[in-house]
Amino acid sequence: MSPNLLDVDHVIKRFGGFKALNDVSFTLAEGEILGIVGPNGSGKTTLINVISGLYAPDGGSVRFRGYDVRHLGLTGRSRRGINRTFQIPKPFRQLTVAQNVALARHYGRHASMPIEDPLAFLGLAEMADWEAGRLTSAQQKLLDLARALATGPRLLLVDELAAGLNPQEMHQVSEKLLEVARQGVGIIVVEHLLGFVNHLTRRVLVMNAGQLIFEGSLAEAAHDPTVVAVYLGG
Ligand code: ADP
């Protein structure tokens, strides 16, 4: 039996006495898109940080393609194909757009990439020689995604990509993510904007207070009393 792309198993992450992740388990297959939603402070970004290797979990395990990756940090995971985008991208503003992507590639898998030319793929080729600091915030989000794609990811973690994009940009970027997934890349999309998630996937996890409280489609979530109570502050 081939392993899952990702197995998150009973993960716990504490900050002092506070459990930001409290026994979180789920799996992801190659080419699958999974949405993670939930109120502010529910642990979504912490989960991305634990999977990407920024934080070590205090309990449980993260396995990637069947291997426990707990001994690997950010760079080690990037080299094996786990990469991410950031809620607030921080490109090297004085470097050009192309240089930013080249630098990211350096930390990647050095393998054949599903997306050969991330800048062209995301419509940034014309700006390749611009200083990254000249890009609009929406373009900086695309550059951040281009940098993640340049590492040749097998698992792409996307944190709040849609925020700050207009509806047309949002539609374009979601089409791109669907195309990336069709190349076999597993994608986890953390989002506030439920419409964006709904366009990408029917499989959504809802988090609250560090726990997964629901798994299913957004439509089902809308009728789940626990989820409704959380979203209405009940
Ligand atoms: P979300 O992404 O769902 O908004 P986060 O994962 O950012 O939630 O945060 C979950 C909880 O963990 C929040 O209460 C937050 O204050 C806390 N937290 C996150 N990162 C840290 C950290 N580095 N140090 C202390 N507390 C943190």
Side-chain angles (χ1 to χ4, degrees):
M1 197 182 76
S2 68
N4 288 317
L5 182 65
L6 180 72
D7 291 277
V8 172
D9 209 22
H10 298 292
V11 161
I12 292 171
K13 178 64 196 169
R14 291 191 188 88
F15 295 111
F18 173 75
K19 269 189 191 167
L21 296 176
N22 188 357
D23 198 19
V24 172
S25 301
F26 66 92
T27 64
L28 182 78
E30 275 182 22
E32 192 184 1
I33 303 183
L34 173 68
I36 299 186
V37 302
N40 251 333
S42 54
K44 305 182 298 294
T45 297
T46 302
L47 182 57
I48 296 292
N49 288 338
V50 164
I51 297 169
S52 66
L54 186 62
Y55 297 153
D58 297 302
S61 68
V62 176
R63 274 175 295 141
F64 180 59
R65 304 170 78 229
Y67 296 98
D68 191 331
V69 291
R70 103 181 59 190
H71 61 289
L72 298 172
L74 279 175
T75 310
R77 292 189 204 191
S78 180
R79 290 219 190 285
R80 281 164 182 76
I82 302 178
N83 219 293
R84 69 175 292 174
T85 69
F86 289 88
Q87 203 167 343
I88 300 168
K90 294 194 176 61
F92 295 99
R93 299 177 65 85
Q94 271 86 46
L95 297 185
T96 67
V97 168
Q99 285 168 337
N100 267 279
V101 170
L103 201 57
R105 197 182 302 258
H106 179 73
Y107 287 99
R109 281 206 296 138
H110 304 299
S112 67
M113 301 201 300
I115 306 300
E116 290 276 336
D117 183 346
L119 287 181
F121 178 69
L122 293 169
L124 293 173
E126 282 171 32
M127 298 125 196
D129 296 328
W130 293 16
E131 280 185 15
R134 280 181 60 199
L135 297 179
T136 64
S137 59
Q139 289 166 338
Q140 288 191 18
K141 289 216 140 185
L142 292 178
L143 173 57
D144 200 34
L145 179 57
R147 284 164 50 109
L149 291 176
T151 66
R154 292 171 160 129
L155 171 61
L156 180 61
L157 309 165
V158 178
D159 196 0
E160 300 275 352
L161 186 63
L165 302 185
N166 68 35
Q168 194 198 349
E169 291 163 339
M170 239 186 262
H171 181 74
Q172 282 167 352
V173 82
S174 61
E175 292 302 317
K176 297 299 180 188
L177 289 179
L178 288 167
E179 194 170 332
V180 171
R182 280 196 294 273
Q183 309 292 325
V185 178
I187 305 181
I188 297 178
V189 179
V190 165
E191 258 318 320
H192 259 89
L193 298 166
L194 302 186
F196 183 73
V197 176
N198 206 25
H199 184 72
L200 287 171
T201 180
R202 297 284 162 259
R203 187 178 167 226
V204 169
L205 307 178
V206 183
M207 292 192 71
N208 185 48
Q211 293 186 304
L212 297 183
I213 58 165
F214 178 85
E215 177 170 357
S217 72
L218 272 182
E220 290 159 0
H223 295 102
D224 182 89
T226 318
V227 174
V228 171
V230 161
Y231 269 92
L232 297 180

